[in-house]
Amino acid sequence: MPRYGRVILLLGLATLGAALNDNDPCTNPAGQPGRCIYFRECEPLLTIYSKPIVSPAESKFVENSRCGMTADRKPLVCCASSNPISTGSRIQYSLPKPPNCGVDFQDRIVGGQRTGLDEFPWTGLIQYRKPTGRFGFHCGASLINSRYVVTAAHCIKAIPRGWEVTGVRLGEWDLDNQIDCQEENNCADAPVDMAVEQIIVHEDYNPQNKAQYNDIALIRFNRDVQFSSFISPVCLPIDSAQRNKNNVGTRGVATGWGRTETASASNVKLKVELEIQDLQTCSNTYRPSGVILRDTQLCAGGVRGQDTCSGDSGGPLTKLDRANNFLYGIVSFGPNKCGTKGVPGVYTSVAKYIDWIERNMQ
């Protein structure tokens, strides 16, 4: 599209959402606080606009950044600058809502299949430094806004002695390649490695408890990540209707690079479709091993050969709702042999921890 075409598009869309005035506080599509200002004054959006090729996700981000217009019909956008609004001494981040999260992708009938390059762009990998000085990826995570991923607490507190969380990789697909391509002219951007500024583990998590209650943690980056077609956040079930929704009998999709049926880790991001199971029935399955589940957990799977596994810990279980994907589960634990018939995997129920997530984002 010619550059002037983007300006016309922005102007036209701005007329649809006149709500704020110049310099009013606002929240952009990434959940970042900012100010409603002239488009030409917003450096982050101008950076996107000036790129030779703008991805659909970037174009949508610019469009959804509109926040009003001036009396003379000049477009205003919500701009999160290098000095955004702060509460106290820290910037306050919020969770994005549709259509600014959980972008849907098609052709996802699954059963342990490879994902597409741009599928599930919220799925991240946690990197660890080991006592030997080597690095490795051993847990998953889900991007929930430009500054945070959510993962399992046991990926932080139940790791081998001497291991240290050093970063989160986003936009990855094939760990064996620096630039991932599915076809000659279909290549992804290079993955992005984000450094860790802070880790917040649920205060009531106990790694010694076999039932793994409160198995949830947040990782805060030391800077904001820029969204693209290959890096964007998943939606969280924020609204009360979503929090209280009974998903038993419906199907979700788990993604990760964990062990496959060959018992080796996958170099390519995989997806598997799993049915969400009745919690009480699932708890009865685990009871003989001394595990009693709570309503802060959910179960999915139980079909032979279709399951998440060890390296998927902390990764997402998402459900499609209309055009957006919502994070309902975080991979917690399961049977010793992944994909055991009649034994579902156990996930942290994200809907039960929305208040905790919002309270602990700074």
Side-chain angles (χ1 to χ4, degrees), residues 19-39:
L20 299 178
N21 298 315
D22 186 19
N23 210 37
D24 280 351
C26 60
T27 302
N28 77 355
Q32 299 170 282
R35 292 282 179 183
C36 194
I37 63 175
Y38 286 105
F39 174 71

Side-chain angles (χ1 to χ4, degrees), residues 39 42-50 61-62 65-66 77-79:
F39 174 71
C42 184
E43 184 176 348
L45 295 186
L46 286 174
T47 299
I48 296 175
Y49 174 72
S50 63
F61 182 86
V62 174
S65 293
R66 68 190 187 279
V77 294
C78 186
C79 188

